[in-house]
Coordinates of all heavy atoms in Angstrom, one line a residue:
G1 N 25.3 -2.7 10.6 CA 24.6 -2.9 11.9 C 23.1 -3.3 11.7 O 22.9 -4.4 11.0
F2 N 22.2 -2.6 12.3 CA 20.8 -3.0 12.3 C 20.0 -1.7 12.2 O 20.3 -0.7 12.9 CB 20.5 -3.8 13.5 CG 19.1 -4.4 13.5 CD1 18.9 -5.6 12.9 CD2 18.1 -3.8 14.2 CE1 17.6 -6.2 12.9 CE2 16.8 -4.4 14.2 CZ 16.6 -5.6 13.6
W3 N 18.9 -1.7 11.4 CA 18.0 -0.6 11.3 C 16.6 -1.0 11.7 O 16.1 -2.0 11.3 CB 17.9 -0.1 9.9 CG 16.8 0.9 9.6 CD1 15.6 0.6 9.1 CD2 16.7 2.3 9.9 NE1 14.8 1.7 9.0 CE2 15.5 2.8 9.5 CE3 17.7 3.2 10.4 CZ2 15.1 4.1 9.6 CZ3 17.3 4.5 10.5 CH2 16.0 4.9 10.1
A4 N 16.0 -0.2 12.6 CA 14.6 -0.4 13.0 C 13.9 0.9 12.7 O 14.3 2.0 13.0 CB 14.5 -0.7 14.5
D5 N 12.7 0.8 12.0 CA 12.0 2.0 11.6 C 11.5 2.7 12.8 O 10.9 2.2 13.8 CB 10.7 1.6 10.8 CG 11.0 1.0 9.5 OD1 12.1 1.2 9.0 OD2 10.0 0.5 8.9
P6 N 11.7 4.0 12.9 CA 11.2 4.9 14.0 C 9.7 5.0 13.8 O 9.2 4.8 12.7 CB 11.9 6.2 13.9 CG 12.3 6.3 12.4 CD 12.5 4.9 12.0
P7 N 9.0 5.5 14.8 CA 7.5 5.7 14.7 C 7.2 6.6 13.5 O 7.9 7.6 13.3 CB 7.1 6.3 16.0 CG 8.1 5.8 17.0 CD 9.4 5.7 16.2
G8 N 6.1 6.3 12.7 CA 5.7 7.1 11.6 C 6.5 7.0 10.4 O 6.3 7.7 9.4
Y9 N 7.4 6.0 10.3 CA 8.3 5.9 9.2 C 7.6 5.6 7.9 O 8.0 6.1 6.8 CB 9.4 4.9 9.5 CG 10.6 5.0 8.6 CD1 11.6 6.0 8.7 CD2 10.8 4.1 7.5 CE1 12.7 6.1 7.9 CE2 12.0 4.1 6.7 CZ 12.9 5.2 6.9 OH 13.9 5.3 6.0
V10 N 6.6 4.7 7.9 CA 5.9 4.4 6.7 C 5.2 5.6 6.1 O 5.3 5.9 4.9 CB 4.8 3.3 7.0 CG1 3.9 3.1 5.8 CG2 5.5 2.0 7.4
D11 N 4.6 6.4 7.0 CA 3.9 7.6 6.5 C 4.8 8.7 6.0 O 4.5 9.5 5.1 CB 2.9 8.1 7.6 CG 1.8 7.1 7.9 OD1 1.1 6.8 6.9 OD2 1.6 6.7 9.0
K12 N 5.9 8.8 6.7 CA 6.8 9.9 6.3 C 7.8 9.6 5.2 O 8.2 10.5 4.4 CB 7.6 10.3 7.6 CG 6.8 10.9 8.7 CD 7.7 11.1 10.0 CE 6.8 11.6 11.1 NZ 7.6 11.8 12.4
I13 N 8.2 8.3 5.1 CA 9.3 8.0 4.2 C 8.9 6.9 3.2 O 8.9 7.1 2.0 CB 10.5 7.5 5.0 CG1 11.0 8.5 5.9 CG2 11.6 7.0 4.0 CD1 11.5 9.8 5.3
V14 N 8.4 5.7 3.7 CA 8.2 4.6 2.8 C 7.1 4.8 1.8 O 7.4 4.6 0.6 CB 7.9 3.3 3.7 CG1 7.6 2.1 2.8 CG2 9.0 3.0 4.7
W15 N 6.0 5.1 2.2 CA 4.8 5.2 1.3 C 5.0 6.4 0.3 O 4.8 6.3 -0.9 CB 3.5 5.3 2.0 CG 2.3 5.0 1.1 CD1 1.4 5.8 0.6 CD2 2.0 3.7 0.6 NE1 0.5 5.2 -0.2 CE2 0.9 3.9 -0.3 CE3 2.6 2.4 0.7 CZ2 0.3 2.8 -1.0 CZ3 2.0 1.4 0.0 CH2 0.8 1.6 -0.8
P16 N 5.4 7.6 0.8 CA 5.6 8.7 -0.2 C 6.6 8.3 -1.3 O 6.4 8.7 -2.4 CB 6.1 9.8 0.7 CG 5.5 9.5 2.0 CD 5.6 8.1 2.2
N17 N 7.7 7.6 -0.9 CA 8.7 7.2 -1.9 C 8.1 6.3 -2.9 O 8.3 6.4 -4.2 CB 9.9 6.6 -1.3 CG 10.9 7.6 -0.8 OD1 11.2 8.6 -1.5 ND2 11.5 7.4 0.3
Y18 N 7.3 5.3 -2.4 CA 6.6 4.3 -3.3 C 5.7 5.1 -4.3 O 5.7 4.8 -5.5 CB 5.9 3.3 -2.5 CG 4.9 2.5 -3.3 CD1 5.5 1.6 -4.3 CD2 3.6 2.5 -3.1 CE1 4.6 0.8 -5.1 CE2 2.7 1.7 -3.9 CZ 3.3 0.8 -4.8 OH 2.4 0.0 -5.6
V19 N 4.9 6.0 -3.8 CA 4.0 6.7 -4.7 C 4.8 7.5 -5.7 O 4.4 7.4 -6.9 CB 3.1 7.7 -3.8 CG1 2.3 8.6 -4.8 CG2 2.2 6.9 -2.9
K20 N 5.8 8.2 -5.3 CA 6.6 9.0 -6.3 C 7.2 8.2 -7.4 O 7.2 8.6 -8.6 CB 7.7 9.7 -5.5 CG 8.7 10.5 -6.4 CD 9.7 11.3 -5.5 CE 10.6 10.3 -4.8 NZ 11.6 9.6 -5.6
D21 N 7.7 7.0 -7.0 CA 8.4 6.2 -8.0 C 7.5 5.2 -8.8 O 8.0 4.6 -9.8 CB 9.5 5.4 -7.3 CG 10.6 6.2 -6.8 OD1 11.1 7.1 -7.5 OD2 11.1 6.0 -5.6
H22 N 6.3 5.0 -8.4 CA 5.4 4.0 -9.1 C 4.1 4.5 -9.5 O 3.3 3.8 -10.2 CB 5.2 2.8 -8.2 CG 6.5 2.1 -7.9 ND1 7.3 2.5 -6.8 CD2 7.1 1.1 -8.5 CE1 8.4 1.7 -6.8 NE2 8.3 0.8 -7.8
A23 N 3.8 5.8 -9.3 CA 2.4 6.3 -9.7 C 2.2 6.2 -11.2 O 1.1 6.0 -11.6 CB 2.3 7.8 -9.3
F24 N 3.3 6.2 -12.0 CA 3.1 6.2 -13.4 C 2.7 4.8 -13.9 O 2.3 4.7 -15.1 CB 4.5 6.5 -14.1 CG 5.5 5.5 -14.1 CD1 5.8 4.7 -15.2 CD2 6.3 5.2 -12.9 CE1 6.8 3.8 -15.1 CE2 7.2 4.3 -12.8 CZ 7.5 3.5 -14.0
L25 N 2.7 3.8 -13.1 CA 2.2 2.5 -13.4 C 0.7 2.2 -13.1 O 0.2 1.2 -13.4 CB 3.0 1.4 -12.7 CG 4.5 1.3 -13.0 CD1 5.2 0.3 -12.2 CD2 4.7 1.1 -14.5
F26 N 0.1 3.2 -12.6 CA -1.3 3.1 -12.2 C -2.2 4.1 -12.9 O -1.7 5.2 -13.3 CB -1.5 3.3 -10.6 CG -0.9 2.2 -9.8 CD1 0.5 2.2 -9.5 CD2 -1.7 1.2 -9.3 CE1 1.0 1.2 -8.8 CE2 -1.1 0.2 -8.6 CZ 0.2 0.2 -8.3
Q27 N -3.5 3.8 -13.1 CA -4.4 4.7 -13.7 C -4.6 5.9 -12.8 O -4.7 5.8 -11.6 CB -5.8 4.0 -13.8 CG -5.8 2.8 -14.8 CD -7.1 2.2 -14.9 OE1 -8.2 2.8 -14.7 NE2 -7.2 0.9 -15.4
H28 N -4.5 7.1 -13.4 CA -4.6 8.4 -12.7 C -3.6 8.6 -11.6 O -3.8 9.4 -10.7 CB -6.0 8.5 -12.2 CG -7.1 8.2 -13.1 ND1 -7.3 8.9 -14.3 CD2 -8.0 7.2 -13.1 CE1 -8.3 8.3 -15.0 NE2 -8.8 7.3 -14.3
G29 N -2.5 7.8 -11.6 CA -1.5 7.9 -10.6 C -1.9 7.4 -9.2 O -1.2 7.7 -8.2
D30 N -3.0 6.7 -9.1 CA -3.5 6.3 -7.8 C -3.0 4.9 -7.5 O -3.5 3.9 -8.0 CB -5.0 6.3 -7.8 CG -5.6 5.7 -6.5 OD1 -4.9 5.6 -5.5 OD2 -6.9 5.5 -6.5
V31 N -1.9 4.8 -6.6 CA -1.3 3.5 -6.4 C -2.2 2.5 -5.5 O -1.8 1.4 -5.4 CB 0.0 3.7 -5.6 CG1 1.0 4.5 -6.5 CG2 -0.2 4.3 -4.3
N32 N -3.3 3.0 -5.0 CA -4.3 2.1 -4.4 C -5.3 1.6 -5.4 O -6.2 0.8 -5.0 CB -5.0 2.9 -3.2 CG -4.0 3.0 -2.0 OD1 -3.5 2.0 -1.5 ND2 -3.8 4.2 -1.6
G33 N -5.3 2.1 -6.6 CA -6.3 1.8 -7.6 C -5.8 0.7 -8.6 O -5.0 -0.1 -8.3
E34 N -6.3 0.9 -9.8 CA -6.1 -0.1 -10.9 C -4.8 0.2 -11.6 O -4.4 1.4 -11.8 CB -7.2 -0.1 -11.9 CG -8.6 -0.5 -11.3 CD -8.7 -2.0 -11.0 OE1 -7.9 -2.8 -11.6 OE2 -9.5 -2.4 -10.2

């Protein structure tokens, strides 16, 4: 079918998952940093 993100989905689901799975690629685990 079709999926539309409900309100707050980035903050609750998308970004936390990204941080969890990719922090090891960034200095000090800060995905907004270097």
Side-chain angles (χ1 to χ4, degrees):
F2 189 81
W3 166 265
D5 290 346
Y9 196 74
V10 171
D11 292 304
K12 295 174 182 176
I13 303 294
V14 178
W15 197 254
N17 274 322
Y18 169 62
V19 172
K20 175 176 65 69
D21 291 317
H22 296 89
F24 75 105
L25 296 177
F26 290 83
Q27 294 181 23
H28 313 297
D30 178 9
V31 299
N32 286 305
E34 298 285 341

